[in-house]
Every structure is written in C-alpha cells, then in structure tokens.
Amino acid sequence: MKKNQNLITMRRVFVLVLFVVAPLFNSQAQINGIDDFIIQIQELRTLSQKMGKYYILQNLYPSNEKYKNQAQESMDSFNSILVELIEQAPSDELQMELQKLNLTWMYVGKVLKTKYDRAAAAKVLDKLEYLQNEAKNIGQLAMELTKKDMAKVILTAAEARVMLQRMNLYFIAHRARILNQNIEQRFNESMTSLKSEIQFLESWEGNDETTKMLLNMIKERFRSFGKNISLKSKVSPLMADMVAENMDEDFKLLVKTLKEKVQ
C-alpha cells in the first residue's frame, strides 16, 4: 500500500514539474488508442531532429527569422505532445518511462538555449540523439501492448520520418562543420534505415491505390534526395532542408492514411 502511495506521489510530482516548465498549449496529439500513442512517440523523435536542425540553421542564417520561430514552435510542440502522452499513457510502466523522458527533455531544452558555436552544437547533437533514443525505447515498449500487424506498418512509416529528419540534420551539421565525430556514421545509418523502411512499406500486401501513390511520390523524391544529398555534396543546407520537408509532408500523409485503415 505504501509503495503504491509513493508511486502516486512520484507521478504527481513529475507531472507538476512538467506543467511548471512547459507552457500549457492546446493539445495536438489527440491520443485515442495505442496507434495514436505510437505515432506521437515517433513525432517526438521527429521533432527532436528538427530542433537540432533549427538550432543550426537559425545561427547559420541569423537574418532569417523563420528558423528562430520554427525552433520555438518545435519545442512548444514537443512540450504539448509529451504532456498528453504522460496523461494518456496506456500503462503505469509507460507513464513512468515518459516521466523520465520529461526529465531528460528539461535538460535538453536548456542545452538548446546555449550560445551557438561549433563545439556547443556538437553537444546539442549528442543530447538530442540520447533524447530520441530514449523515446524510441518507449515506442518499443508500447508496441508490446498490441498484437495488431497494422501497428508495425504504422510504426515503420513514422520511423521513416524520423530517419529522414535525422539524415537531414546530420547533412546540415556536416555542411556547418559541427565538431562532432559521429556525424558521418549517423548520416549513413539514417540513409540505410530510410531505404529499408521504404522497401518494407512498398512490399506490404495491404497497400491500396492511395498508399501506392504516396509511396511512389516518396520514392521519386528520395531518388533525387539520395542522389544529391551525400556528405560530399555541395548542395546548400537550405536546399537539402526544402527537399526533406517536402518528403516529410508525404510521409505524414502516408501515416495518416495508414492510421485511417485501422479505424
């Protein structure tokens, strides 16, 4: 009994800390089931990569207010989604893991506000990598709560978004000459994973005309992206980001379409 009371007290403290640190934004996640929960965990991972990208871009192009605004928007979205994930966690274990993730996020949020230089950016990359891997582990725990084959397909499509943004982040980091020795490895890992995920989705037997069309659009963009975006490429960070964002929109639509198949 005492153990349960302590657990309840810990939850209240963690959630209170979260709401004190994070502004109260309108909920974006709208979590109504395990599929939504998994998608939003992946959204946190995608946002973690975007935050790193905007951290670099707003300092490479300080006259462009867009990147500063997008950096703040991505942090706000991360806060909002994490609040709802904690509130709607489908198990005590997942709720506790999310509360741990929130503590990591509180620290990473401070790191993201440090003054930019190539060494500071290297630390940001590593802390965001840790954050998104922690979120990935939570997603894997969530997958254990469902036996639906469709959940794996949805997870793969959402994972492809993460790897796309991760690849884009490390391309930009390379062009910005960030002092991090893991850039090449993480870039190559992301590209390999993205190729594999696209192949898995393409081979899925449940594809219909809509999903096939979306996958063809993604493949065409990826052929151009993968051909021109290598660490030896001279493509500008702005061009790389534009292509990545267009692909990201296609992936978001694919995830939405797959999710509607479950309903």
Side-chain angles (χ1 to χ4, degrees):
M1 181 71 178
K2 185 176 180 180
K3 183 178 180 181
N4 289 337
Q5 289 176 339
N6 290 338
L7 183 61
I8 291 170
T9 301
M10 287 176 65
R11 287 179 186 163
R12 287 173 178 170
V13 170
F14 273 122
V15 173
L16 177 61
V17 169
L18 177 65
F19 277 92
V20 169
V21 174
L24 294 179
F25 303 98
N26 291 329
S27 174
Q28 297 179 5
Q30 299 180 349
I31 299 167
N32 298 310
I34 192 66
D35 296 318
D36 289 329
F37 186 88
I38 290 169
I39 288 171
Q40 294 305 326
I41 285 291
Q42 295 296 84
E43 182 68 19
L44 290 185
R45 296 180 64 214
T46 300
L47 285 168
S48 73
Q49 306 305 288
K50 289 191 174 189
M51 286 187 283
K53 172 183 71 176
Y54 295 137
Y55 175 80
I56 297 171
L57 289 175
Q58 69 178 313
N59 288 285
L60 287 181
Y61 306 98
S63 63
N64 192 332
E65 286 292 316
K66 177 179 74 172
Y67 296 118
K68 182 178 180 180
N69 294 336
Q70 288 175 326
Q72 187 60 52
E73 287 172 6
S74 61
M75 294 178 71
D76 291 348
S77 294
F78 194 102
N79 281 334
S80 179
I81 292 170
L82 184 52
V83 167
E84 188 169 4
L85 283 168
I86 290 175
E87 290 180 339
Q88 302 296 327
S91 73
D92 289 343
E93 181 183 13
L94 281 170
Q95 189 174 68
M96 290 301 294
E97 291 302 317
L98 283 161
Q99 288 162 351
K100 292 177 186 177
L101 178 67
N102 176 54
L103 293 178
T104 302
W105 165 236
M106 288 163 58
Y107 173 69
V108 173
K110 292 180 180 178
V111 174
L112 282 164
K113 294 184 182 297
T114 56
K115 184 177 180 180
Y116 177 86
D117 60 41
R118 291 191 294 155
K123 182 178 180 180
V124 167
L125 292 179
D126 286 340
K127 296 305 177 185
L128 287 171
E129 186 74 8
Y130 182 86
L131 181 74
Q132 69 97 5
N133 279 328
E134 195 172 337
K136 180 179 181 180
N137 291 335
I138 294 171
Q140 290 171 343
L141 286 174
M143 281 292 294
E144 295 174 5
L145 297 179
T146 178
K147 295 182 179 180
K148 294 187 294 187
D149 292 337
M150 193 66 188
K152 182 179 179 181
V153 179
I154 293 172
L155 176 69
T156 302
E159 177 73 12
R161 285 191 65 212
V162 179
M163 290 299 106
L164 169 66
Q165 291 296 338
R166 187 171 182 251
M167 184 172 72
N168 186 41
L169 167 61
Y170 285 104
F171 175 81
I172 292 171
H174 177 75
R175 292 303 312 274
R177 299 182 180 180
I178 304 303
L179 302 175
N180 188 306
Q181 62 183 1
N182 297 308
I183 288 175
E184 182 175 1
Q185 176 188 343
R186 291 172 183 170
F187 176 87
N188 291 333
E189 285 175 352
S190 303
M191 180 172 282
T192 299
S193 294
L194 181 55
K195 287 179 180 178
S196 176
E197 285 142 12
I198 291 174
Q199 289 173 356
F200 172 86
L201 292 167
E202 191 177 22
S203 65
W204 180 50
E205 294 180 355
N207 280 318
D208 57 20
E209 292 304 314
T210 302
T211 58
K212 287 178 181 178
M213 178 189 71
L214 288 170
L215 284 166
N216 283 332
M217 290 170 57
I218 289 167
K219 282 173 60 182
E220 287 303 313
R221 290 192 196 276
F222 185 65
R223 285 193 184 100
S224 173
F225 194 62
K227 181 179 180 181
N228 296 308
I229 309 300
S230 71
L231 292 186
K232 295 181 180 179
S233 172
K234 299 301 182 183
V235 172
S236 73
L238 294 179
M239 178 60 70
D241 187 52
M242 183 182 70
V243 177
E245 284 303 303
N246 287 335
M247 272 186 76
D248 188 60
E249 289 300 317
D250 293 339
F251 271 121
K252 282 197 288 187
L253 187 54
L254 177 63
V255 170
K256 180 181 178 182
T257 302
L258 291 171
K259 180 176 171 291
E260 288 172 353
K261 283 177 168 287
V262 181
Q263 297 174 340

